[in-house]
C-alpha cells in the first residue's frame, strides 16, 4: 500500500505539521512518499527528504503553485493518485481546502481530522467539537485522509530519501490569488508552540489585549492565542483563534486569561498537557478542565505573574 | 440552523437586497424536520426552498452529489454555504461540490464582493487573511465573521409560511449515496480531571516549575 503525503510549507521552510502528519502516515503503510508542490521549493523538498520514514520526495515546482489555489493543487495531485492507495494531508487551512476536491474527483469519502490510526483503513476522529470520538472503517478502494497534526509527535529526522522532480500541470480553474495579509511575528507558530498564552473577551479591547497578553507571551516565549469571543469583538486577529472552528493546539502549557471556556474553545485546547486558567469568575467552565486555576482579575494577576516569573 | 449556514443565508439575502442577486433559493438535504430550517431561511429573506428528503445519515460526498443534482437543475450563479457542519465537523461538502461541478471555490470567507461575473473573496486562513478572485458560477463557503445574521421579524416569519418549499424524496434522484465508511464505535474522549486552585501568581509559578515541570 503506497501513501502520498502532501507537504505543508511556505516555499522556504517545511512546516512541522508535515512531520507530524508523516507520523500518522507511516502507521497506515511504510511506503510513504512526500509531495512538495510549490514555486522555488527545492529547499523544502530537501528538508522533507531528511525526515525519517520517507520513501522518496516528489517535487512539483511551478510558478502557478507558489500561492496555489485549491483548484491547482487538486489538478496536480489527482493524476498522481493512479500510483497511490492513500492521500494523506495535514488538516491545515490549505489541506482542508484542496483534499475534499481530490476525494470527490476520486469518488471516495474523506476521513477528516484523524487523531489516531488504528489500522490501514481504521481511524479515530473527533465529532461534536471533540465531545465524542468516532472510530470509522473506510471501504473505498482509495483513501483520502486529513490528519490533525497536534495529535501526533513529529517524525524525527534521520532519513535520506531521494528527491525526484516531476512535471505538474496546475490549471487554476477560474480562481486567482489576489493578495494576502500575513502578520510576520518572531513568536512561535500557534499550532506548534510549546507554550500558548490566550486572551478572552474579558480583555475588553484590542489595546488591552496587546498590552496584557503579548508581554506575558513574550516573557514565556509563547505563541499568542485568543477565544472566538475576543476575535469576534476585534481584540485579536482571526489567525489567533483557538477552538472548534479556529486552530487546534496541544502545547505543554496553555494559559487562558479572561476566557470563560465555551465548549467550542475547549475543543481547540483541551489536549494541552497543562492548562492554567486565570479568571475572576470562580464558576467559569474553564476551571473544570484547568490543572491550575487562579480566581483573580487579570488586571492584578497578570502583572503579579510577570513579576513572579522574574 | 447551523450557525455557518445562517451566515450564508444572510449573505445571500443581502446580495439580493443590493440588487446583486435576483432570487435566493434555500436548499437542504435531510429529514422532514429540515423543512423548519428552510422555513427559517425563508424568514430571513430567501424566496423559496427545496428539501431533498431522506432519513439516511449522509456522508459529505453523498451530500455533495445530492446538491450537485440540484445545482444542475437550478443553474445558480453562486452557491453559498457554511464551511462545516457542527456535528460531523468535516468541512468538506462545499469543496466536494465545487470539484464535482468543475467550479472554482472560495472557502472560509470573511468578506465577499460580487461584481459582474466575478467575486472577490477574503478568506480566513492559518497565517491570516487571503484574498482570491473567482469566476462565477462558484462555490463559496463562509466563516463566522462574514456578517451578523439578522433576527427574522414577525411579519417576515408570517410571510415565510406562505413561501413555497418543494419537498422531494432524495431517492428519486437515482444517485449512488451509499455510505463509504462504517462507524465502528463512538466513544467519549478521555476526561480531564479537574485540577487545583492556587491562591496567588507566586504559587502558580512555583507549581508550574516544580510540580508540572513546564517552566
Amino acid at each position: 500500500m503506497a501513501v502520498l503525503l502532501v507537504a505543508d510549507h511556505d516555499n522556504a521552510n517545511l512546516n512541522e505539521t508535515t512531520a507530524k502528519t508523516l507520523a500518522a502516515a507511516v502507521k497506515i503503510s511504510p511506503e510513504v512518499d512526500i509531495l512538495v508542490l510549490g514555486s522555488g521549493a527545492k529547499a523544502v523538498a530537501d528538508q522533507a527528504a531528511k525526515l525519517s520514514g520517507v520513501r522518496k520526495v516528489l517535487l512539483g515546482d511551478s510558478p502557478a503553485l507558489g500561492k496555489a489555489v485549491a483548484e491547482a493543487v487538486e489538478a496536480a495531485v489527482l493524476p498522481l493518485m493512479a500510483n497511490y492507495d492513500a492521500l494523506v494531508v495535514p488538516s491545515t487551512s490549505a489541506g482542508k481546502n484542496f483534499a475534499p476536491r481530490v476525494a470527490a474527483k476520486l469518488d471516495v469519502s474523506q476521513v477528516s481530522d484523524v487523531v489516531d490510526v488504528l489500522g490501514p483503513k481504521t481511524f479515530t476522529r473527533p465529532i461534536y467539537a471533540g465531545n465524542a470520538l468516532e472510530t470509522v472503517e473506510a471501504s473505498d478502494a482509495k483513501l483520502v485522509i486529513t490528519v490533525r497534526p497536534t495529535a501526533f509527535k513529529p517524525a524525527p529526522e534521520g532519513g535520506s530519501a531521494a528527491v525526484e522532480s516531476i512535471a505538474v500541470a496546475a490549471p487554476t480553474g477560474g480562481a486567482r490569488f489576489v493578495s494576502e495579509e500575513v502578520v510576520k511575528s518572531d513568536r512561535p507558530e500557534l499550532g506548534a508552540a510549546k507554550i500558548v498564552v490566550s486572551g478572552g473577551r474579558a480583555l475588553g479591547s484590542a489595546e488591552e489585549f496587546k498590552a496584557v497578553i503579548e508581554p506575558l507571551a513574550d516573557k514565556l516565549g509563547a505563541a499568542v492565542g485568543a477565544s472566538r469571543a475576543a476575535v469576534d469583538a476585534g481584540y485579536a486577529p482571526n489567525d489567533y483563534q483557538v477552538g472548534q472552528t479556529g486552530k487546534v493546539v496541544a502545547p505543554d502549557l496553555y494559559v487562558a486569561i479572561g476566557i470563560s471556556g465555551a465548549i467550542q474553545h475547549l475543543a481547540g485546547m483541551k489536549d494541552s498537557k497543562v492548562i492554567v486558567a486565570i479568571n475572576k469568575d470562580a464558576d467559569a467552565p474553564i476551571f473544570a478542565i484547568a490543572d491550575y486555576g487562579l480566581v483573580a482579575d487579570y488586571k492584578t494577576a497578570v502583572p503579579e505573574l510577570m513579576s513572579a516569573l522574574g | 440552523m447551523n450557525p455557518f449556514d445562517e451566515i450564508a443565508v444572510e449573505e445571500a439575502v443581502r446580495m439580493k437586497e443590493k440588487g446583486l442577486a435576483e432570487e435566493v433559493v434555500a436548499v437542504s438535504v435531510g429529514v422532514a424536520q429540515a423543512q423548519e430550517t428552510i422555513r427559517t431561511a425563508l424568514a430571513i429573506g430567501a424566496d423559496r426552498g427545496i428539501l431533498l428528503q431522506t432519513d439516511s445519515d449522509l456522508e459529505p460526498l453523498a451530500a455533495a452529489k445530492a446538491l450537485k443534482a440540484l445545482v444542475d437543475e437550478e443553474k445558480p450563479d453562486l452557491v453559498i454555504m457554511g464551511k462545516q457542519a457542527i456535528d460531523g465537523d468535516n468541512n468538506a461538502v462545499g469543496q466536494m461540490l465545487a470539484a464535482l461541478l468543475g467550479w472554482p471555490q472560495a472557502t472560509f470567507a470573511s468578506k465577499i464582493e460580487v461584481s459582474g461575473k466575478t467575486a472577490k473573496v477574503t478568506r480566513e486562513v492559518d497565517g491570516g487573511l487571503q484574498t482570491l478572485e473567482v469566476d462565477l458560477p462558484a462555490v463559496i463557503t463562509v466563516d463566522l465573521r462574514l456578517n451578523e445574521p439578522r433576527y427574522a421579524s414577525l411579519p417576515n416569519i408570517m410571510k415565510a409560511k406562505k413561501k413555497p418549499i418543494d419537498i422531494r424524496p432524495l431517492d428519486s434522484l437515482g444517485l449512488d449515496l451509499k455510505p463509504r465508511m462504517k462507524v465502528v464505535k463512538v466513544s467519549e474522549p478521555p476526561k480531564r480531571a479537574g485540577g487545583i486552585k492556587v491562591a496567588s501568581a507566586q504559587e502558580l509559578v512555583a507549581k508550574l516549575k516544580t510540580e508540572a515541570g513546564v517552566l
Side-chain angles (χ1 to χ4, degrees), chain A residues 27 58 91 149 263:
Chain A
K27 289 177 85 173
L58 304 176
S91 63
I263 284 172

Side-chain angles (χ1 to χ4, degrees), chain B residues 184-196:
Chain B
V184 183
K185 70 168 183 188
V186 175
S187 59
E188 228 181 306
K191 277 229 182 326
R192 279 192 91 95
I196 58 160

Side-chain angles (χ1 to χ4, degrees), chain A residues 71 97 107 109 241 272 292, chain B residues 59 107 145 180 192 211:
Chain A
E71 292 77 359
N97 200 27
D107 192 32
S109 236
Q241 186 179 322
S272 305
Y292 300 103
Chain B
E59 288 174 8
T107 53
R145 282 168 282 273
R180 312 294 186 83
R192 279 192 91 95
E211 199 173 274

